[in-house]
C-alpha cells in the first residue's frame, strides 16, 4: 500500500476559529479564557459565556452577585454600564494576551458597607 504524502494528510486540518470576547471584541488566547455565568451559579445560573480573564475579573470587581442576577445578566446589559464602557474602551486597545491585576471598584466598596 502506498504511503500518503504528508501534505495530503495535513491539508484537511483547519485551525479552529479563535474565540472572540463579546465585551472587548478581542481574540481570547487559550490561557486567558474564563467561563462567566451570566446569572451567578450560586443564584441558579447555568448559561456561560467565554470571556477574557481580565474582562471577567472586571465584571466581578464592579458588580455584586445580586446585581448580576437582577440587572446585568446579558452582555448587552453589562456593556450598558458606564464604568464597564470605560473599561472596555481601555482594554480593547491592548493586545489579546494582556492581563493586569483588577482592583475592586470604589462603587462596590461603598455598597458593601
Amino acid at each position: 500500500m502506498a504511503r500518503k504524502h504528508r501534505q495530503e494528510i495535513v491539508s484537511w486540518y483547519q485551525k479552529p476559529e479563535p474565540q472572540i470576547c463579546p465585551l472587548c471584541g478581542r481574540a481570547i488566547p487559550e490561557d486567558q479564557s474564563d467561563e462567566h455565568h451570566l446569572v451567578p451559579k450560586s443564584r441558579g445560573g447555568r448559561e456561560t459565556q467565554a470571556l477574557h480573564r481580565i474582562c471577567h475579573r472586571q465584571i466581578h470587581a464592579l458588580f455584586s452577585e445580586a446585581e448580576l442576577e437582577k440587572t446585568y445578566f446579558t452582555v448587552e446589559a453589562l456593556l450598558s454600564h458606564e464604568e464597564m464602557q470605560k473599561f472596555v474602551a481601555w482594554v480593547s486597545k491592548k493586545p489579546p494576551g494582556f492581563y493586569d491585576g483588577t482592583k475592586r471598584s470604589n462603587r462596590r466598596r461603598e455598597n458593601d458597607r
Side-chain angles (χ1 to χ4, degrees):
M1 185 170 194
R3 296 185 77 175
K4 293 183 178 180
H5 295 291
R6 182 171 177 79
Q7 191 175 31
E8 290 175 19
I9 294 171
V10 176
S11 65
W12 62 269
Y13 177 76
Q14 293 181 359
K15 195 172 184 177
E17 291 290 322
Q19 287 185 315
I20 303 297
C21 179
L23 290 175
C24 66
R26 301 176 299 146
I28 306 172
E30 282 187 37
D31 65 334
Q32 293 291 320
S33 180
D34 273 359
E35 290 293 321
H36 170 65
H37 282 86
L38 296 172
V39 173
K41 193 174 175 183
S42 64
R43 300 197 177 240
R46 297 184 193 276
E47 186 180 345
T48 62
Q49 178 71 55
L51 302 174
H52 269 108
R53 179 162 293 132
I54 192 169
C55 296
H56 188 214
R57 298 275 171 102
Q58 185 65 23
I59 289 170
H60 289 286
L62 287 174
F63 307 111
S64 68
E65 289 194 359
E67 289 174 312
L68 289 172
E69 178 189 21
K70 294 175 184 161
T71 310
Y72 300 105
F73 52 88
T74 65
V75 172
E76 294 77 22
L78 290 167
L79 289 171
S80 70
H81 191 273
E82 183 181 349
E83 288 185 49
M84 199 67 193
Q85 289 173 357
K86 289 178 188 177
F87 169 78
V88 168
W90 171 78
V91 82
S92 64
K93 297 173 189 166
K94 306 292 182 197
F98 174 80
Y99 183 77
D100 191 20
T102 306
K103 296 177 183 168
R104 190 173 217 180
S105 77
N106 289 333
R107 184 185 77 78
R108 191 75 203 272
R109 284 188 200 126
E110 292 167 5
N111 291 342
D112 289 346
R113 292 181 188 162

